[in-house]
Amino acid sequence: MTGRIFSAILAGFAALATAAMQAQAQSFVEGQTDPEIPTLTETVGHAPGARITSPEEMLTYLRALAEAAPERAKLVQYATSWEGRPLHYLVLTAPENMARLDAIKADLANVAAGRTSDGNALPVTWLAYGVHGDEISSSDAALMMAYHLLASQGDARVDQIMRETIVILDPTQNPDGRARFVNSFRAALGIEPMADRQAAEHDQPWPGGRFNHYLFDLNRDWFTLSQPETRGKIAAILEWSPVVVKDIHEMGGDQTYFFSPAADPVNPNLTANQLELYEVIGRNNAMWFDRMGEPYFTREIFDLFYPGYGDTWNAHQGAIGSTYEQGSARGLLFERRDGSLLTYADGVRNHFVASLSTAEAVAQNADRFLGDYAALRAANADGASGRGAYVIDLGTRRWNAEALGRRLAAQGITVLRRDGAATVCGKNYPQGYLAVPRAQPAARLVRSLLEADTPLPREFVIEQERRRAEDLPHELYDVTAWSVGMMAGTEVALCNAAVSGEPLASTAPIAAVSEGNGGFGVAVPWTDSGQARLVALALREGIVGRVTDEAFTIGARTFPRGTVVFSNAANGAEKMARFAEIAREIGAHTVALSSSWVDDGPNFGSSSFARLSMPKVAMAWDDGISPLSAGALRYVLEQRLGVPVTPIRTRRFAELDLEDYDVLLIPEGEPASALGEGGANTIREFAQEGGVVIAIGDSLDLLTSGESPMLSVKREAALGREPGKSEKEGPLAEAQEITSEAEYRAAIRDENALPDTLPGALVRTVADRENFLSAGYDDGAIVNATGSRIYAPLDRADGINVLRFAAANDLVASGYVWDENRRQMAFKPYLLAQPNGAGLAIGFAHDPATRAYLDGLDLLLANAVIVAPARVR
């Protein structure tokens, strides 16, 4: 049968741009196909590029392909989204390979473990599409890739790809986000698609389709593993050990196409051999795009530094991980600023061509790709990336340390666990430790995640400082620090000797720690995320507890401030039995108390103890609110701590009755215009009447503005500027002599400029130990600082600077901070609190829940959300 299939070896690309929307068959150019392989049109009713395929239609088509060619295609479900949608990958290879697939996988496991291959392994090319649900063309390209590899007849390139390699397609990594986009797009579509970027079909309603159900950017979740889509995907990738992983995206519609090599900076844990293979694939892509006459660019914008991305995480595992980006029509038709039209089908075509070109490059160099991957993993296992081990103390934030160990293990990292007291490299670990050996196949990922700092390349830093000196924007794309031990609040030390322990499985439950005996009740020391979750879940079930803002001592044991006591008398035997069950399920730490007598500190009947109950929590939601901040904050509270959150749309606030709520969360954003004056008044009245208002980041503007601000602080301009200075009156400017480049720069600088934007670094803070909001952080906390927001400290007559940044010389824990920002941030507030009438306003200058990877700050959120309402009462 003669059909239309994608093929780079045939002519016809010049007509694609205009013919794409009229495409009537499976693809766009002539070629021989197998009539037994169903087309998209036959299966779901539309041609490729003519309609944006929904997740349900995609699954229907993938199943049809797998059923039509079971000897060459295998469809595997690897996860289920929050909203219940299945995620699948499709395995494609020649029949002789499919027949021995188990042997191939077993040998790939040998290779990934650094062992010698038995000769069965084949290189796996993993092509992942649509991690952002509104980056739409990539997923339809995946369907075309699957069809082309199965239906093509007489195509030598396809035969080589199927014979020499295994291709795995992950067609939609974010089905919930894609469904959200498709539904809003189809709802806005009229009798024909509109190219005007202002049209409703291009203007997604909040929160847009980019994010998953919990509004996470799934391309920042690779080492955090907070989302089910990510956890399933990583487990699948580890099962197959791909040598190449391409994460296929879209970008702004006025841009063309991006493929590797990547921009600077490149993470120093990547090897020269890997960078050479990026060139191999890039050159092959360039050849295909030249034949099409399709413009592209490389080495710009998208770098390989932060290991939380799909490309860089996989590169740290030894694969050639890349990002591909296509200018997006964000619909079916889009008019670019240069007047040209971009169609959805153009994007589908380009992503298909890049996918096929990548698979071809791997097949043409199969031995090299597999051999280099095997050699890198074996060298890592043999200690090429370092010896000794990173040791994580189980005596500091025990639950967070245990959870971190399991997250590392879930990424294919060997983690050893030692129970009980031990001494390693001269350091005592009374509660035991976790050890992560450096000599292991995933060594480069281990080093990147657990080192205190991954330095930016010196040449890159020099160039960024030059750009800033010339008033040009810096070129950092994302955060410069991600040391996971710091972010979990744990203590990690490097020991250069061999460290022993039992292997830790990622699925192993965290064991509860139950100490003491007695009939009075149970104390929950306020030490880690597991403790906060135990308190929250107990309160949800009506179990009554009392929290202290001062430490107390019983016998030889001192319980820290923030400790929550649950008494048998207040709860009864049945509830206390349920409490013990919850503690075991979580793996929490509890201490049984024989009586209420304390040897030092407040008694349980003291005013230092406040009665806790589960607060009712509302969150500002929708227009004016950052979806990422709202989603992460809601996720941390609901999924990690167990506190239900009621999202309320900002447009309702003007007439909103918050009487039944205890806490109002205002995530990062610019909510003032969406709330209006009426909404702002509602928030002020809520606080005046006894509510707790918590604002994050830019949303602090709402609390710091007006004649009677809820937080009496002002945002600072850049160091050395004089904000608010008016221009000289009169029609002429004051004459001035400029005699040097430095004077010229001073003359043109913006006196009202804000500090330069920080991409993201981990910095130290110092706690006010007298305030309940800092309970659990007597030694301060390591926080993530981004952006340009710096506040002057609160006057002590107005409120409390609960956590302030450390002195300039001690500020930076990990990452890169501009020198003037470092000096200006010193001693400025991170967490502020100010009484408002009967209530309390709390402000976080930077988001403590961002990306859900700062679990070491969970107690700060619990203090603000769970404890603050009790203190206000």
Side-chain angles (χ1 to χ4, degrees):
M1 156 181 175
T2 299
R4 289 172 171 261
I5 63 171
F6 284 105
S7 173
I9 60 174
L10 298 175
F13 284 112
L16 293 181
T18 55
M21 295 305 301
Q22 289 78 36
Q24 297 178 354
Q26 181 64 33
S27 292
F28 302 107
V29 295
E30 298 297 326
Q32 286 297 119
T33 61
D34 182 350
E36 298 301 317
I37 303 301
T39 66
L40 186 66
T41 304
E42 293 166 345
T43 308
V44 302
H46 64 263
R51 179 178 167 92
I52 302 169
T53 308
S54 71
E56 293 74 23
E57 291 167 338
M58 291 178 62
L59 182 54
T60 297
Y61 187 52
L62 290 168
R63 284 171 172 160
L65 291 176
E67 290 170 3
E71 77 289 353
R72 290 175 292 152
K74 182 178 181 180
L75 188 63
V76 179
Q77 181 175 345
Y78 69 81
T80 302
S81 74
W82 288 111
E83 296 177 11
R85 292 183 176 88
L87 287 85
H88 293 81
Y89 62 79
L90 184 68
V91 182
L92 298 164
T93 194
E96 61 271 23
N97 297 332
M98 189 67 76
R100 60 186 185 94
L101 204 59
D102 289 343
I104 293 172
K105 285 179 68 176
D107 196 27
L108 284 170
N110 282 333
V111 170
R115 299 188 291 266
T116 302
S117 169
D118 64 15
N120 279 303
L122 289 176
V124 174
T125 301
W126 187 288
L127 303 173
Y129 305 82
V131 70
H132 299 137
D134 61 352
E135 297 179 2
I136 42 180
S137 62
S138 67
S139 292
D140 269 303
L143 302 183
M144 297 307 95
M145 182 72 172
Y147 175 81
H148 186 72
L149 293 183
L150 292 175
S152 292
Q153 293 181 324
D155 187 331
R157 284 176 169 81
V158 169
D159 292 343
Q160 184 183 36
I161 290 168
M162 297 289 273
R163 181 180 65 252
E164 302 294 335
T165 71
I166 296 170
V167 175
I168 298 181
L169 307 178
D170 182 354
T172 178
Q173 301 173 73
N174 181 6
D176 291 352
R178 186 177 181 88
R180 189 183 309 123
F181 176 87
V182 170
N183 290 340
S184 68
F185 173 78
R186 291 181 179 178
L189 195 62
I191 62 172
E192 65 179 20
M194 295 297 170
D196 185 352
R197 67 182 67 211
Q198 302 172 98
E201 62 204 67
H202 298 292
D203 185 11
Q204 301 176 63
W206 194 95
R210 180 181 178 88
F211 317 107
N212 77 339
H213 172 79
Y214 262 103
L215 308 187
F216 269 65
D217 184 329
L218 292 176
N219 197 35
R220 272 78 170 168
D221 194 48
W222 281 77
F223 65 70
T224 308
L225 282 80
S226 68
Q227 305 300 295
E229 299 93 335
T230 309
R231 293 192 292 270
K233 174 170 55 185
I234 283 181
I237 284 176
L238 293 175
E239 183 181 350
W240 284 98
S241 306
V243 301
V244 167
V245 177
K246 302 302 176 183
D247 202 11
I248 301 178
H249 293 251
E250 286 185 339
M251 55 187 165
D254 292 303
Q255 295 178 285
T256 58
Y257 199 96
F258 170 85
F259 50 76
S260 296
D264 288 331
V266 173
N267 193 291
N269 289 295
L270 274 59
T271 69
N273 282 352
Q274 286 178 289
L275 299 182
E276 289 176 8
L277 289 177
Y278 282 100
E279 290 272 354
V280 170
I281 296 174
R283 288 179 180 276
N284 206 58
N285 288 341
M287 178 189 69
W288 283 61
F289 274 65
D290 286 348
R291 288 180 179 178
M292 288 194 294
E294 188 68 25
Y296 64 88
F297 64 95
T298 65
R299 300 183 180 90
E300 298 178 38
I301 305 175
F302 307 105
D303 62 41
L304 276 173
F305 191 65
Y306 172 57
Y309 289 129
D311 53 6
T312 319
W313 185 90
N314 281 286
H316 276 76
Q317 292 279 20
I320 307 306
S322 296
T323 291
Y324 289 177
E325 298 270 357
Q326 162 68 42
S328 179
R330 208 72 78 210
L332 293 175
L333 192 63
F334 182 81
E335 183 177 1
R336 287 171 158 155
R337 297 194 188 280
D338 64 5
S340 63
L341 290 179
L342 173 67
T343 70
Y344 180 61
D346 292 336
V348 174
R349 174 203 64 191
N350 292 346
H351 271 326
F352 164 77
V353 169
S355 299
L356 190 58
S357 168
T358 298
E360 177 191 49
V362 177
Q364 289 174 345
N365 300 275
D367 289 345
R368 181 180 178 186
F369 275 93
L370 185 60
D372 279 14
Y373 175 82
L376 177 59
R377 301 283 292 190
N380 288 345
D382 197 38
S385 191
R387 295 190 178 277
Y390 297 98
V391 183
I392 304 171
D393 190 352
L394 290 177
T396 301
R397 302 228 188 278
R398 179 193 67 91
W399 195 92
N400 296 69
E402 295 275 21
L404 172 59
R406 286 152 179 80
R407 284 198 303 277
L408 294 172
Q411 297 173 67
I413 293 170
T414 299
V415 180
L416 306 176
R417 188 177 188 283
R418 170 69 182 266
D419 267 325
T423 300
V424 174
C425 283
K427 179 176 171 58
N428 293 325
Y429 294 90
Q431 308 303 319
Y433 61 75
L434 302 177
V436 184
R438 295 212 291 174
Q440 61 170 296
R444 294 176 185 274
L445 182 61
V446 168
R447 189 164 68 181
S448 194
L449 295 182
L450 287 171
E451 279 287 343
D453 188 52
T454 300
L456 287 163
R458 181 173 179 274
E459 297 78 7
F460 180 81
V461 171
I462 292 172
E463 172 61 13
Q464 301 318 299
E465 294 293 2
R466 180 197 67 79
R467 291 178 61 85
R468 296 175 63 244
E470 297 181 9
D471 301 321
L472 297 171
H474 65 73
E475 297 170 311
L476 284 161
Y477 191 73
D478 208 282
V479 298
T480 64
W482 52 81
S483 181
V484 294
M486 290 184 187
M487 294 196 296
T490 60
E491 291 187 9
V492 180
L494 176 60
C495 174
N496 288 316
V499 182
S500 63
E502 294 298 318
L504 178 67
S506 63
T507 56
I510 297 176
V513 176
S514 179
E515 297 183 77
N517 55 70
F520 173 74
V522 177
V524 180
W526 201 238
T527 53
D528 57 43
S529 299
Q531 306 300 85
R533 180 170 176 82
L534 171 58
V535 170
L537 295 186
L539 295 177
R540 279 179 66 184
E541 298 206 19
I543 304 172
V544 177
R546 293 177 66 82
V547 61
T548 178
D549 61 2
E550 293 184 42
F552 62 92
T553 300
I554 300 177
R557 183 182 196 116
T558 297
F559 294 83
R561 62 195 180 96
T563 295
V564 183
V565 176
F566 295 86
S567 71
N568 293 337
N571 293 293
E574 185 175 343
K575 284 187 175 180
M576 291 305 290
R578 175 58 184 148
F579 178 87
E581 184 180 4
I582 297 170
R584 286 192 297 272
E585 292 170 356
I586 294 170
H589 175 203
T590 57
V591 182
L593 304 176
S594 60
S595 87
S596 64
W597 181 257
V598 300
D599 296 297
D600 191 28
N603 292 104
F604 302 143
S606 163
S607 61
S608 292
F609 276 84
R611 186 182 188 275
L612 288 178
S613 59
M614 174 53 67
K616 192 168 182 183
V617 181
M619 176 185 286
W621 193 257
D622 212 320
D623 290 342
I625 298 296
S626 161
L628 287 170
S629 179
L633 188 57
R634 187 182 184 189
Y635 168 84
V636 169
L637 289 171
E638 290 193 338
Q639 296 297 329
R640 201 145 71 208
L641 300 185
V643 178
V645 176
T646 302
I648 301 176
R649 301 193 190 280
T650 48
R651 65 175 179 266
R652 298 183 58 88
F653 269 65
E655 299 177 354
L656 189 62
D657 180 4
L658 289 171
E659 183 180 357
D660 292 335
Y661 289 90
D662 303 291
V663 178
L664 172 62
L665 300 166
I666 310 175
E668 180 96 43
E670 298 179 352
S673 60
L675 291 166
E677 185 59 31
N681 286 336
T682 296
I683 294 171
R684 283 191 288 269
E685 291 169 5
F686 172 70
Q688 289 290 321
E689 294 171 4
V692 175
V693 178
I694 304 170
I696 310 290
D698 287 342
S699 290
L700 263 70
D701 288 348
L702 195 68
L703 275 59
T704 61
S705 60
E707 295 181 0
S708 300
M710 298 173 67
L711 285 172
S712 301
V713 294
K714 292 188 180 298
R715 189 174 181 181
E716 294 187 348
L719 203 63
R721 304 301 200 265
E722 299 178 11
K725 184 179 180 181
S726 62
E727 294 181 0
K728 185 177 178 66
E729 294 182 3
L732 298 176
E734 181 180 359
Q736 58 179 318
E737 179 184 10
I738 299 177
T739 62
S740 68
E741 176 78 12
E743 289 182 2
Y744 168 70
R745 292 292 170 194
I748 65 172
R749 73 181 183 180
D750 180 2
E751 287 293 347
N752 292 309
L754 297 171
D756 201 357
T757 300
L758 287 181
L762 296 175
V763 298
R764 297 182 179 90
T765 62
V766 176
D768 182 329
R769 299 184 183 183
E770 300 302 315
N771 190 271
F772 72 89
L773 288 170
S774 67
Y777 299 92
D778 283 356
D779 296 326
I782 290 179
V783 304
N784 183 60
T786 61
S788 59
R789 183 165 295 277
I790 301 174
Y791 284 97
L794 263 175
D795 189 302
R796 68 176 61 186
D798 295 317
I800 301 292
N801 301 292
V802 180
L803 284 181
R804 53 119 174 132
F805 294 118
N809 291 339
D810 194 40
L811 178 69
V812 181
S814 181
Y816 192 80
V817 176
W818 315 124
D819 183 65
E820 69 273 19
N821 291 59
R822 178 184 62 84
R823 291 183 285 117
Q824 187 176 356
M825 288 171 66
F827 297 98
K828 303 298 170 54
Y830 170 81
L831 173 59
L832 315 95
Q834 180 173 329
N836 277 252
L840 186 66
I842 298 172
F844 287 88
H846 302 268
D847 194 342
T850 184
R851 299 180 181 176
Y853 60 10
L854 296 163
D855 53 306
L857 301 182
D858 285 354
L859 291 179
L860 278 185
L861 281 172
N863 290 337
V865 174
I866 299 174
V867 180
R871 290 294 168 192
V872 167
R873 285 194 298 269

